[in-house]
Coordinates of all heavy atoms in Angstrom, one line a residue:
M568 N -25.6 11.4 0.1 CA -24.3 11.1 -0.6 C -24.5 11.1 -2.1 O -25.3 10.4 -2.6 CB -23.9 9.7 -0.1 CG -23.0 9.8 1.1 SD -21.5 8.9 0.8 CE -21.7 7.6 2.1
P569 N -23.7 11.8 -2.8 CA -23.7 11.8 -4.3 C -23.2 10.4 -4.7 O -22.3 9.9 -4.2 CB -22.7 12.9 -4.7 CG -21.8 13.1 -3.5 CD -22.6 12.7 -2.3
R570 N -23.9 9.9 -5.7 CA -23.5 8.6 -6.3 C -23.1 8.7 -7.7 O -23.3 9.7 -8.4 CB -24.6 7.6 -6.1 CG -25.1 7.5 -4.6 CD -26.0 6.3 -4.5 NE -25.4 5.2 -5.2 CZ -25.9 3.9 -5.1 NH1 -26.9 3.7 -4.3 NH2 -25.3 2.9 -5.7
G571 N -22.6 7.6 -8.2 CA -22.3 7.5 -9.6 C -20.9 7.9 -10.0 O -20.5 7.8 -11.2
K572 N -20.0 8.2 -9.0 CA -18.6 8.4 -9.3 C -17.9 7.0 -9.2 O -18.0 6.3 -8.3 CB -18.0 9.3 -8.3 CG -18.2 10.8 -8.7 CD -17.2 11.6 -7.9 CE -17.4 13.1 -8.3 NZ -16.6 14.0 -7.4
P573 N -17.1 6.7 -10.3 CA -16.4 5.5 -10.3 C -15.4 5.4 -9.1 O -15.1 4.3 -8.6 CB -15.7 5.4 -11.6 CG -15.7 6.8 -12.1 CD -16.8 7.5 -11.5
H574 N -14.7 6.5 -8.8 CA -13.7 6.5 -7.8 C -14.2 7.1 -6.5 O -14.7 8.3 -6.6 CB -12.4 7.2 -8.2 CG -11.8 6.5 -9.4 ND1 -11.2 5.3 -9.3 CD2 -11.7 6.9 -10.7 CE1 -10.8 5.0 -10.5 NE2 -11.1 5.9 -11.4
S575 N -14.1 6.4 -5.4 CA -14.4 7.1 -4.2 C -13.4 8.1 -3.8 O -12.2 7.9 -4.1 CB -14.6 6.1 -3.1 OG -13.4 5.3 -3.0
P576 N -13.7 9.2 -3.2 CA -12.7 10.2 -2.9 C -12.0 9.9 -1.7 O -12.1 10.5 -0.7 CB -13.6 11.5 -2.7 CG -14.9 11.0 -2.3 CD -15.1 9.6 -2.8
Y577 N -11.2 8.8 -1.8 CA -10.5 8.3 -0.5 C -9.5 9.3 0.0 O -9.2 9.3 1.2 CB -10.0 6.9 -0.7 CG -8.9 6.8 -1.8 CD1 -7.6 7.3 -1.6 CD2 -9.2 6.3 -3.1 CE1 -6.7 7.2 -2.6 CE2 -8.3 6.2 -4.1 CZ -7.0 6.6 -3.8 OH -6.1 6.6 -4.8
R578 N -8.9 10.1 -0.9 CA -7.9 11.0 -0.4 C -8.6 12.0 0.6 O -8.0 12.2 1.7 CB -7.3 11.8 -1.5 CG -6.3 12.8 -1.1 CD -5.7 13.6 -2.2 NE -5.1 14.9 -1.8 CZ -3.9 15.0 -1.3 NH1 -3.2 13.9 -1.2 NH2 -3.4 16.1 -0.9
E579 N -9.7 12.5 0.2 CA -10.4 13.5 1.1 C -10.8 12.7 2.4 O -10.6 13.3 3.5 CB -11.7 13.9 0.4 CG -11.9 15.4 0.3 CD -13.1 15.7 -0.6 OE1 -14.2 15.5 -0.1 OE2 -12.9 16.0 -1.8
Q580 N -11.3 11.5 2.3 CA -11.6 10.8 3.5 C -10.4 10.6 4.4 O -10.5 10.7 5.6 CB -12.2 9.4 3.1 CG -13.6 9.5 2.5 CD -14.6 9.9 3.6 OE1 -14.4 9.6 4.8 NE2 -15.6 10.5 3.3
A581 N -9.3 10.2 3.8 CA -8.1 9.9 4.6 C -7.7 11.1 5.3 O -7.2 11.1 6.4 CB -7.1 9.3 3.6
L582 N -7.7 12.3 4.6 CA -7.2 13.5 5.2 C -8.2 13.9 6.3 O -7.7 14.6 7.2 CB -7.2 14.6 4.1 CG -6.1 14.4 3.1 CD1 -6.1 15.5 2.0 CD2 -4.6 14.4 3.8
K583 N -9.4 13.6 6.3 CA -10.3 13.9 7.4 C -10.1 13.0 8.5 O -10.2 13.4 9.7 CB -11.8 13.6 6.9 CG -12.5 14.9 6.5 CD -13.9 14.5 6.2 CE -14.3 15.2 4.8 NZ -15.6 14.6 4.3
L584 N -9.7 11.8 8.3 CA -9.6 10.7 9.3 C -8.2 10.8 10.0 O -8.1 10.6 11.2 CB -9.8 9.4 8.6 CG -10.6 8.4 9.3 CD1 -12.0 8.8 9.4 CD2 -10.5 7.0 8.6
L585 N -7.2 11.0 9.2 CA -5.8 10.8 9.8 C -5.1 12.1 10.0 O -5.5 13.2 9.4 CB -5.0 10.0 8.7 CG -5.6 8.7 8.4 CD1 -4.8 8.1 7.1 CD2 -5.5 7.6 9.5
P586 N -4.3 12.2 11.0 CA -3.5 13.4 11.2 C -2.6 13.7 10.0 O -2.1 12.8 9.4 CB -2.7 13.1 12.5 CG -2.6 11.6 12.5 CD -3.9 11.1 11.9
W587 N -2.4 15.0 9.7 CA -1.6 15.4 8.6 C -0.1 15.2 8.8 O 0.6 16.2 8.9 CB -1.9 16.8 8.1 CG -3.4 16.9 7.7 CD1 -4.3 15.9 7.5 CD2 -4.1 18.1 7.4 NE1 -5.5 16.4 7.1 CE2 -5.4 17.7 7.1 CE3 -3.8 19.4 7.4 CZ2 -6.4 18.6 6.7 CZ3 -4.7 20.4 7.1 CH2 -6.0 20.0 6.7
I588 N 0.3 14.0 9.0 CA 1.7 13.7 9.3 C 2.1 12.5 8.5 O 1.4 11.6 8.3 CB 1.8 13.4 10.8 CG1 1.5 14.5 11.7 CG2 3.3 12.9 11.1 CD1 1.4 14.2 13.2
C589 N 3.4 12.6 7.9 CA 3.8 11.5 7.2 C 4.2 10.4 8.1 O 4.8 10.5 9.1 CB 5.1 11.9 6.4 SG 5.9 10.5 5.6
T590 N 3.6 9.2 7.8 CA 3.7 8.1 8.7 C 5.2 7.6 8.8 O 5.6 7.1 9.8 CB 2.9 6.9 8.1 OG1 1.6 7.3 7.9 CG2 2.8 5.8 9.1
R591 N 6.0 7.9 7.7 CA 7.4 7.4 7.7 C 8.3 8.4 8.4 O 9.0 8.0 9.3 CB 7.8 7.2 6.3 CG 7.3 6.0 5.7 CD 7.9 4.7 6.0 NE 7.2 3.6 5.4 CZ 6.1 3.0 5.9 NH1 5.5 3.5 6.9 NH2 5.5 2.1 5.2
C592 N 8.3 9.6 8.0 CA 9.3 10.6 8.4 C 8.7 11.5 9.5 O 9.5 12.3 10.0 CB 10.0 11.3 7.3 SG 8.8 12.4 6.4
A593 N 7.4 11.4 9.8 CA 6.8 12.1 10.9 C 6.8 13.6 10.6 O 6.6 14.4 11.6 CB 7.5 11.8 12.2
R594 N 7.0 14.1 9.4 CA 6.9 15.5 9.1 C 5.4 15.9 9.2 O 4.5 15.1 8.7 CB 7.4 15.8 7.7 CG 8.8 16.3 7.8 CD 9.2 17.1 6.5 NE 9.1 16.3 5.3 CZ 9.1 16.8 4.1 NH1 9.1 18.1 3.9 NH2 9.0 16.0 3.0
E595 N 5.2 17.1 9.7 CA 3.8 17.6 9.7 C 3.5 18.4 8.5 O 4.4 19.1 8.0 CB 3.6 18.4 11.0 CG 3.4 17.5 12.2 CD 3.1 18.3 13.4 OE1 2.2 19.2 13.3 OE2 3.8 18.2 14.4
F596 N 2.3 18.4 8.0 CA 1.9 19.2 6.8 C 0.8 20.2 7.1 O -0.3 19.7 7.5 CB 1.6 18.3 5.7 CG 2.8 17.6 5.1 CD1 3.4 16.5 5.8 CD2 3.5 18.1 4.0 CE1 4.5 15.9 5.3 CE2 4.6 17.5 3.5 CZ 5.1 16.4 4.1
P597 N 1.0 21.4 7.0 CA -0.1 22.4 7.1 C -0.9 22.3 5.9 O -0.6 21.7 4.8 CB 0.6 23.7 7.2 CG 1.9 23.5 6.4 CD 2.3 22.1 6.7
A598 N -2.1 22.9 6.0 CA -3.1 22.8 4.9 C -2.5 23.3 3.6 O -2.7 22.8 2.5 CB -4.3 23.6 5.2
S599 N -1.6 24.3 3.7 CA -1.0 24.9 2.5 C 0.0 24.0 1.7 O 0.2 24.2 0.6 CB -0.2 26.2 2.9 OG 0.8 25.8 3.8
R600 N 0.4 23.0 2.4 CA 1.4 22.0 1.7 C 0.8 20.6 1.6 O 1.5 19.6 1.4 CB 2.6 22.0 2.5 CG 3.3 23.4 2.5 CD 4.7 23.3 3.2 NE 5.5 22.3 2.6 CZ 6.6 21.8 3.2 NH1 6.9 22.2 4.4 NH2 7.3 20.9 2.6
L601 N -0.5 20.6 1.7 CA -1.2 19.3 1.8 C -1.0 18.4 0.6 O -1.1 17.2 0.6 CB -2.7 19.5 2.1 CG -3.3 18.4 3.0 CD1 -2.5 18.2 4.2 CD2 -4.7 18.8 3.2
R602 N -0.7 19.1 -0.6 CA -0.6 18.3 -1.8 C 0.7 17.4 -1.8 O 0.9 16.6 -2.6 CB -0.7 19.2 -3.0 CG 0.4 20.2 -3.2 CD -0.1 21.3 -4.0 NE 0.9 22.4 -3.9 CZ 1.7 22.8 -4.9 NH1 1.6 22.2 -6.1 NH2 2.5 23.8 -4.7
E603 N 1.6 17.8 -0.8 CA 2.8 16.9 -0.7 C 2.6 15.7 0.1 O 3.4 14.8 0.2 CB 3.9 17.8 -0.1 CG 4.5 18.8 -1.0 CD 5.5 19.7 -0.3 OE1 6.4 19.2 0.3 OE2 5.3 20.9 -0.3
L604 N 1.4 15.6 0.7 CA 1.0 14.5 1.5 C 0.1 13.6 0.6 O -0.9 14.1 0.1 CB 0.3 14.9 2.7 CG 0.3 14.0 3.9 CD1 1.7 13.6 4.3 CD2 -0.5 14.6 5.1
T605 N 0.4 12.3 0.5 CA -0.3 11.4 -0.4 C -0.9 10.3 0.4 O -0.4 9.9 1.5 CB 0.5 10.9 -1.5 OG1 1.7 10.3 -0.9 CG2 1.0 12.1 -2.4
V606 N -1.9 9.6 -0.1 CA -2.5 8.5 0.5 C -1.9 7.2 -0.1 O -2.0 7.0 -1.3 CB -4.0 8.5 0.3 CG1 -4.7 7.3 1.0 CG2 -4.7 9.8 0.8
H607 N -1.3 6.4 0.8 CA -0.8 5.2 0.4 C -1.7 4.1 0.9 O -2.3 4.1 1.9 CB 0.6 5.0 1.0 CG 1.2 3.6 0.9 ND1 1.5 3.1 -0.4 CD2 1.5 2.7 1.8 CE1 1.9 1.9 -0.2 NE2 2.0 1.6 1.1
H608 N -1.9 3.1 0.0 CA -2.7 1.9 0.4 C -1.8 0.8 1.0 O -1.0 0.3 0.3 CB -3.5 1.4 -0.8 CG -4.6 2.3 -1.2 ND1 -4.3 3.5 -2.0 CD2 -5.9 2.3 -1.1 CE1 -5.4 4.1 -2.2 NE2 -6.4 3.4 -1.7
V609 N -2.1 0.5 2.2 CA -1.2 -0.4 3.0 C -1.1 -1.7 2.3 O 0.0 -2.3 2.1 CB -1.8 -0.6 4.4 CG1 -0.9 -1.6 5.2 CG2 -1.8 0.7 5.1
D610 N -2.2 -2.3 1.7 CA -2.2 -3.6 1.1 C -1.9 -3.4 -0.4 O -1.9 -4.4 -1.1 CB -3.4 -4.4 1.4 CG -4.7 -3.9 0.7 OD1 -4.5 -2.8 0.0 OD2 -5.7 -4.5 0.8
G611 N -1.7 -2.2 -0.9 CA -1.4 -2.0 -2.3 C -2.6 -2.1 -3.2 O -2.5 -1.9 -4.4
D612 N -3.8 -2.2 -2.6 CA -5.0 -2.3 -3.4 C -5.7 -1.0 -3.4 O -6.4 -0.7 -2.4 CB -5.8 -3.5 -2.9 CG -7.1 -3.7 -3.8 OD1 -7.3 -2.8 -4.7 OD2 -7.8 -4.6 -3.5
H613 N -5.6 -0.2 -4.5 CA -6.3 1.1 -4.5 C -7.8 1.0 -4.4 O -8.5 2.0 -4.3 CB -5.8 1.9 -5.7 CG -4.4 2.3 -5.6 ND1 -3.9 3.5 -6.1 CD2 -3.4 1.8 -4.9 CE1 -2.6 3.6 -5.8 NE2 -2.3 2.6 -5.1
D614 N -8.4 -0.2 -4.6 CA -9.8 -0.3 -4.6 C -10.3 -0.7 -3.2 O -11.5 -0.8 -2.9 CB -10.3 -1.3 -5.6 CG -10.0 -0.9 -7.0 OD1 -10.2 0.3 -7.2 OD2 -9.7 -1.7 -7.9
N615 N -9.3 -1.0 -2.3 CA -9.7 -1.4 -1.0 C -9.7 -0.1 -0.1 O -8.6 0.3 0.4 CB -8.7 -2.4 -0.5 CG -9.0 -2.9 0.9 OD1 -10.1 -2.7 1.4 ND2 -8.1 -3.6 1.6
N616 N -10.8 0.5 0.1 CA -10.9 1.7 0.8 C -11.9 1.6 2.0 O -13.0 2.2 1.9 CB -11.3 2.9 -0.1 CG -10.2 3.1 -1.2 OD1 -9.1 3.5 -0.8 ND2 -10.5 2.9 -2.4
P617 N -11.6 0.9 3.0 CA -12.6 0.8 4.1 C -12.8 2.2 4.7 O -11.8 2.9 4.9 CB -11.9 -0.1 5.1 CG -10.4 -0.1 4.7 CD -10.4 0.2 3.2
P618 N -14.0 2.5 5.1 CA -14.3 3.8 5.6 C -13.6 4.1 6.9 O -13.5 5.3 7.4 CB -15.8 3.8 5.8 CG -16.2 2.4 5.8 CD -15.2 1.6 5.0
D619 N -13.2 3.1 7.6 CA -12.5 3.4 8.9 C -11.0 3.8 8.7 O -10.2 4.1 9.6 CB -12.6 2.2 9.8 CG -11.8 1.0 9.3 OD1 -11.4 1.0 8.2 OD2 -11.7 0.0 10.1
G620 N -10.5 3.7 7.4 CA -9.2 4.2 7.1 C -8.1 3.2 7.4 O -6.9 3.5 7.4
S621 N -8.5 1.9 7.7 CA -7.5 1.0 8.1 C -6.6 0.6 7.0 O -5.5 -0.1 7.2 CB -8.2 -0.3 8.6 OG -9.1 -0.9 7.7
N622 N -6.9 0.9 5.7 CA -6.0 0.6 4.6 C -5.2 1.8 4.1 O -4.5 1.7 3.1 CB -6.8 0.0 3.5 CG -5.8 -0.7 2.5 OD1 -4.8 -1.3 2.8 ND2 -6.1 -0.6 1.2
W623 N -5.3 2.9 4.8 CA -4.6 4.1 4.4 C -3.5 4.5 5.3 O -3.5 4.3 6.5 CB -5.7 5.3 4.3 CG -6.7 5.1 3.4 CD1 -6.7 4.4 2.2 CD2 -8.1 5.6 3.6 NE1 -8.0 4.5 1.6 CE2 -8.8 5.2 2.5 CE3 -8.7 6.3 4.6 CZ2 -10.2 5.5 2.3 CZ3 -10.1 6.6 4.4 CH2 -10.8 6.2 3.3
E624 N -2.5 5.1 4.6 CA -1.4 5.6 5.4 C -1.1 6.9 4.7 O -1.0 7.0 3.4 CB -0.2 4.7 5.3 CG 0.3 4.2 6.6 CD 1.4 3.2 6.4 OE1 2.2 3.3 5.4 OE2 1.5 2.2 7.2
L625 N -0.9 8.0 5.4 CA -0.5 9.3 4.8 C 1.1 9.3 4.7 O 1.7 9.2 5.7 CB -1.0 10.5 5.6 CG -2.5 10.6 5.5 CD1 -3.0 11.9 6.3 CD2 -3.1 10.7 4.1
L626 N 1.5 9.5 3.5 CA 3.0 9.6 3.3 C 3.3 10.8 2.5 O 2.6 11.1 1.6 CB 3.5 8.3 2.6 CG 3.3 7.0 3.2 CD1 3.8 5.9 2.2 CD2 4.1 6.9 4.5
C627 N 4.4 11.5 2.8 CA 4.8 12.6 2.0 C 5.3 12.0 0.6 O 5.6 10.8 0.5 CB 5.9 13.4 2.6 SG 7.5 12.5 2.7
I628 N 5.3 12.8 -0.4 CA 5.6 12.3 -1.7 C 7.0 11.5 -1.8 O 7.1 10.6 -2.5 CB 5.6 13.4 -2.8 CG1 6.4 14.6 -2.3 CG2 4.2 13.8 -3.0 CD1 6.4 15.7 -3.4
Y629 N 7.9 12.0 -1.0 CA 9.2 11.3 -1.0 C 9.2 9.9 -0.4 O 9.7 8.9 -0.9 CB 10.2 12.2 -0.2 CG 10.2 13.6 -0.7 CD1 9.7 14.6 0.0 CD2 10.8 13.9 -2.0 CE1 9.6 15.9 -0.5 CE2 10.8 15.2 -2.5 CZ 10.2 16.2 -1.7 OH 10.2 17.4 -2.2
C630 N 8.5 9.9 0.8 CA 8.5 8.6 1.5 C 7.6 7.6 0.7 O 7.8 6.4 0.7 CB 7.9 8.7 2.9 SG 9.1 9.6 4.0
H631 N 6.6 8.2 0.0 CA 5.7 7.4 -0.8 C 6.4 6.7 -1.9 O 6.3 5.5 -2.2 CB 4.5 8.2 -1.3 CG 3.3 7.4 -1.7 ND1 2.1 8.0 -2.0 CD2 3.2 6.1 -1.9 CE1 1.3 7.0 -2.3 NE2 1.9 5.9 -2.2
E632 N 7.3 7.5 -2.5 CA 8.1 7.0 -3.6 C 9.0 5.9 -3.1 O 9.1 4.8 -3.7 CB 8.9 8.1 -4.3 CG 9.3 7.8 -5.7 CD 9.8 9.1 -6.3 OE1 9.0 10.0 -6.6 OE2 11.1 9.2 -6.5
N633 N 9.6 6.1 -2.0 CA 10.5 5.1 -1.3 C 9.8 3.9 -1.1 O 10.3 2.8 -1.3 CB 11.0 5.7 0.0 CG 12.4 6.3 -0.2 OD1 13.1 5.9 -1.0 ND2 12.6 7.3 0.6
E634 N 8.6 4.0 -0.5 CA 7.8 2.9 -0.1 C 7.6 2.0 -1.3 O 7.8 0.8 -1.3 CB 6.5 3.3 0.5 CG 5.6 2.2 1.0 CD 6.2 1.5 2.2 OE1 7.1 2.1 2.9 OE2 5.8 0.4 2.4
H635 N 7.2 2.6 -2.4 CA 6.9 1.8 -3.6 C 8.1 1.2 -4.2 O 8.1 0.2 -4.8 CB 6.1 2.6 -4.6 CG 4.7 2.7 -4.2 ND1 3.7 1.8 -4.7 CD2 4.0 3.5 -3.3 CE1 2.5 2.1 -4.1 NE2 2.7 3.2 -3.3
A636 N 9.2 2.0 -4.1 CA 10.5 1.5 -4.6 C 10.9 0.2 -3.9 O 11.4 -0.8 -4.5 CB 11.6 2.5 -4.5
R637 N 10.6 0.2 -2.6 CA 11.0 -1.0 -1.9 C 10.2 -2.2 -2.3 O 10.6 -3.3 -2.4 CB 10.7 -0.7 -0.3 CG 11.9 -0.2 0.4 CD 11.7 -0.3 1.9 NE 10.3 -0.2 2.2 CZ 9.8 -0.5 3.5 NH1 10.7 -0.9 4.4 NH2 8.6 -0.4 3.7
V638 N 8.9 -1.9 -2.5 CA 8.0 -3.0 -2.9 C 8.5 -3.6 -4.2 O 8.5 -4.8 -4.5 CB 6.5 -2.6 -3.0 CG1 5.7 -3.6 -3.6 CG2 6.0 -2.2 -1.7
E639 N 8.8 -2.7 -5.2 CA 9.3 -3.1 -6.5 C 10.6 -4.0 -6.3 O 10.8 -5.0 -7.0 CB 9.6 -1.9 -7.4 CG 8.3 -1.2 -7.9 CD 7.4 -2.2 -8.5 OE1 7.8 -3.0 -9.4 OE2 6.2 -2.2 -8.2
D640 N 11.5 -3.5 -5.4 CA 12.7 -4.3 -5.2 C 12.4 -5.7 -4.8 O 12.9 -6.7 -5.2 CB 13.5 -3.6 -4.1 CG 14.3 -2.4 -4.7 OD1 14.3 -2.3 -5.9 OD2 15.0 -1.7 -3.9
A641 N 11.5 -5.8 -3.8 CA 11.1 -7.1 -3.3 C 10.5 -8.0 -4.4 O 10.8 -9.1 -4.5 CB 10.1 -6.9 -2.1
K642 N 9.7 -7.3 -5.2 CA 9.1 -8.1 -6.4 C 10.1 -8.6 -7.3 O 10.1 -9.7 -7.8 CB 8.1 -7.2 -7.1 CG 6.7 -7.4 -6.6 CD 5.8 -6.7 -7.6 CE 4.5 -6.1 -6.9 NZ 4.0 -5.0 -7.7
A643 N 11.1 -7.7 -7.6 CA 12.2 -8.1 -8.5 C 13.0 -9.2 -8.0 O 13.6 -9.9 -8.8 CB 13.1 -6.8 -8.8
G644 N 12.9 -9.4 -6.7 CA 13.5 -10.6 -6.1 C 14.9 -10.4 -5.8 O 15.9 -10.7 -6.6
G645 N 15.2 -9.9 -4.6 CA 16.5 -9.8 -4.2 C 17.0 -11.2 -3.9 O 18.2 -11.5 -3.7
G646 N 16.2 -12.2 -4.0 CA 16.6 -13.6 -3.9 C 16.5 -14.1 -2.5 O 16.5 -13.4 -1.5
G647 N 16.4 -15.5 -2.4 CA 16.5 -16.1 -1.1 C 15.3 -15.9 -0.2 O 15.5 -15.8 1.0
D648 N 14.1 -16.0 -0.7 CA 12.9 -16.1 0.2 C 12.3 -17.4 0.0 O 11.1 -17.6 0.3 CB 12.0 -14.9 0.1 CG 11.3 -14.9 -1.3 OD1 11.7 -15.7 -2.1 OD2 10.3 -14.2 -1.4
G649 N 13.0 -18.4 -0.5 CA 12.5 -19.8 -0.5 C 11.6 -20.1 -1.7 O 11.1 -21.2 -1.7
K650 N 11.4 -19.2 -2.6 CA 10.6 -19.5 -3.7 C 11.4 -20.0 -4.9 O 10.9 -20.2 -6.0 CB 9.8 -18.3 -4.1 CG 8.6 -18.0 -3.2 CD 7.9 -16.7 -3.7 CE 6.8 -16.4 -2.7 NZ 6.2 -15.1 -2.8
E651 N 12.7 -20.2 -4.7 CA 13.5 -20.7 -5.7 C 13.4 -22.2 -5.9 O 12.7 -22.9 -5.2 CB 15.0 -20.4 -5.3 CG 15.3 -18.9 -5.3 CD 15.6 -18.4 -6.7 OE1 16.4 -18.9 -7.4 OE2 14.8 -17.4 -7.1
A652 N 14.0 -22.7 -7.0 CA 14.2 -24.1 -7.2 C 12.8 -24.8 -7.2 O 12.6 -25.7 -6.4 CB 15.1 -24.7 -6.2
P653 N 12.0 -24.6 -8.2 CA 10.8 -25.4 -8.3 C 11.2 -26.8 -8.9 O 12.2 -26.8 -9.6 CB 9.9 -24.6 -9.3 CG 10.8 -23.8 -10.1 CD 12.0 -23.5 -9.2
P654 N 10.4 -27.8 -8.7 CA 10.7 -29.1 -9.4 C 10.7 -29.0 -10.9 O 10.0 -28.1 -11.4 CB 9.7 -30.0 -8.8 CG 8.6 -29.1 -8.3 CD 9.2 -27.8 -7.9
A655 N 11.4 -29.8 -11.5 CA 11.5 -29.7 -13.0 C 10.1 -29.9 -13.7 O 9.8 -29.3 -14.6 CB 12.5 -30.8 -13.5
T656 N 9.3 -30.8 -13.1 CA 8.0 -31.0 -13.7 C 6.9 -30.3 -12.8 O 7.2 -30.1 -11.6 CB 7.7 -32.5 -13.7 OG1 7.9 -33.1 -12.4 CG2 8.5 -33.3 -14.7
H657 N 5.9 -30.0 -13.5 CA 4.8 -29.2 -12.8 C 3.9 -30.2 -12.1 O 3.0 -30.8 -12.6 CB 4.0 -28.4 -13.8 CG 3.1 -27.5 -13.1 ND1 3.5 -26.5 -12.3 CD2 1.7 -27.4 -13.1 CE1 2.4 -25.8 -11.9 NE2 1.3 -26.4 -12.3
R658 N 4.2 -30.4 -10.8 CA 3.4 -31.3 -10.0 C 3.0 -30.6 -8.7 O 3.7 -30.8 -7.7 CB 4.1 -32.6 -9.7 CG 4.3 -33.5 -10.9 CD 4.9 -34.8 -10.6 NE 6.2 -34.6 -9.9 CZ 6.8 -35.6 -9.3 NH1 6.3 -36.8 -9.2 NH2 7.9 -35.4 -8.7
P659 N 2.0 -29.8 -8.7 CA 1.6 -29.0 -7.5 C 1.4 -29.9 -6.2 O 1.7 -29.5 -5.1 CB 0.3 -28.3 -7.9 CG -0.2 -29.0 -9.1 CD 1.0 -29.7 -9.8
F660 N 0.9 -31.1 -6.4 CA 0.6 -31.9 -5.2 C 1.8 -32.5 -4.6 O 1.9 -32.7 -3.4 CB -0.4 -33.0 -5.6 CG -1.8 -32.4 -5.8 CD1 -2.3 -32.4 -7.1 CD2 -2.5 -31.8 -4.8 CE1 -3.6 -31.8 -7.4 CE2 -3.8 -31.2 -5.0 CZ -4.3 -31.3 -6.3
A661 N 2.8 -32.7 -5.4 CA 4.0 -33.3 -4.9 C 4.6 -32.2 -4.0 O 5.1 -32.5 -2.9 CB 5.0 -33.6 -6.0
G662 N 4.6 -30.9 -4.4 CA 5.1 -29.8 -3.6 C 4.3 -29.7 -2.3 O 4.9 -29.5 -1.2
L663 N 3.1 -29.8 -2.4 CA 2.2 -29.7 -1.2 C 2.5 -30.8 -0.2 O 2.6 -30.5 1.0 CB 0.7 -29.9 -1.7 CG -0.3 -29.5 -0.6 CD1 -0.3 -28.1 -0.3 CD2 -1.7 -29.9 -1.0
G664 N 2.7 -32.0 -0.7 CA 3.0 -33.1 0.2 C 4.3 -32.8 1.0 O 4.4 -33.0 2.2
R665 N 5.3 -32.3 0.3 CA 6.5 -32.0 0.9 C 6.4 -30.9 2.0 O 7.0 -31.0 3.1 CB 7.5 -31.5 -0.1 CG 8.6 -32.5 -0.3 CD 9.5 -32.3 -1.5 NE 10.1 -31.0 -1.6 CZ 10.4 -30.4 -2.7 NH1 10.1 -31.0 -3.9 NH2 11.0 -29.2 -2.8
K666 N 5.5 -30.0 1.7 CA 5.3 -28.9 2.7 C 4.7 -29.5 4.0 O 5.0 -29.1 5.1 CB 4.4 -27.8 2.1 CG 5.0 -26.4 2.2 CD 3.9 -25.5 1.8 CE 4.5 -24.5 0.6 NZ 3.4 -23.9 -0.1
L667 N 3.7 -30.3 3.8 CA 2.9 -30.9 4.9 C 3.8 -31.7 5.8 O 3.7 -31.7 7.0 CB 1.8 -31.7 4.4 CG 0.6 -30.8 3.8 CD1 -0.5 -31.7 3.2 CD2 0.0 -29.8 4.8
R668 N 4.7 -32.5 5.2 CA 5.5 -33.3 5.9 C 6.6 -32.6 6.8 O 7.0 -33.1 7.8 CB 6.3 -34.3 5.0 CG 5.8 -35.8 5.2 CD 6.6 -36.7 4.3 NE 6.2 -36.5 2.9 CZ 7.1 -36.8 1.9 NH1 8.3 -37.2 2.1 NH2 6.7 -36.6 0.7
K669 N 6.9 -31.4 6.3 CA 7.9 -30.6 7.0 C 7.6 -30.3 8.4 O 6.5 -29.9 8.7 CB 8.2 -29.4 6.2 CG 9.6 -28.8 6.4 CD 9.8 -27.8 5.3 CE 10.7 -26.7 5.8 NZ 10.8 -25.6 4.8
Ligands
ZN1166 ZN1 7.8 11.4 4.7
ZN1167 ZN1 1.2 3.9 -2.2

């Protein structure tokens, strides 16, 4: 195995491991169009590349864009997932106590 490269060639690995099908829209990709198929990291961590491929998903460029757009939306906070309304003062243990009692 050649060493010394900062980035592992996970794309190559993923393409070896996984069928050339977009996980979202189920389109199949022949070798000639493989560059439209991209490797998505399921947990969003591009450094998390287990050799069994458990953190990879093959997505076409369109679905991949969609996928990340959704994540960004969630981050931006559509609101209402219970993280609102922190107490006026910063008292982490007070919050913890409330959680435990619930
Ligand atoms: Zn797709
Ligand atoms: Zn991705």
Side-chain angles (χ1 to χ4, degrees):
M568 266 232 244
R570 302 193 46 167
K572 275 194 180 179
H574 297 290
S575 55
Y577 58 76
R578 180 183 159 82
E579 237 170 76
Q580 283 295 329
L582 290 173
K583 257 185 233 167
L584 221 67
L585 303 167
W587 296 351
I588 296 171
C589 172
T590 310
R591 288 280 176 281
C592 67
R594 260 202 299 165
E595 284 183 50
F596 288 81
S599 60
R600 297 183 57 197
L601 214 52
R602 65 204 166 110
E603 290 176 49
L604 202 57
T605 56
V606 180
H607 172 63
H608 289 78
V609 177
D610 71 355
D612 183 355
H613 286 211
D614 293 322
N615 184 14
N616 295 298
D619 67 351
S621 58
N622 194 37
W623 297 328
E624 244 173 29
L625 292 181
L626 298 178
C627 73
I628 48 178
Y629 307 105
C630 291
H631 200 167
E632 204 167 289
N633 264 328
E634 183 66 22
H635 282 265
R637 266 195 334 167
V638 173
E639 288 306 314
D640 279 354
K642 264 192 215 156
D648 67 347
K650 281 178 185 168
E651 292 280 304
T656 50
H657 187 63
R658 289 186 304 168
F660 289 110
L663 188 68
R665 246 166 58 208
K666 232 187 235 163
L667 289 177
R668 247 183 287 153
K669 206 165 146 188

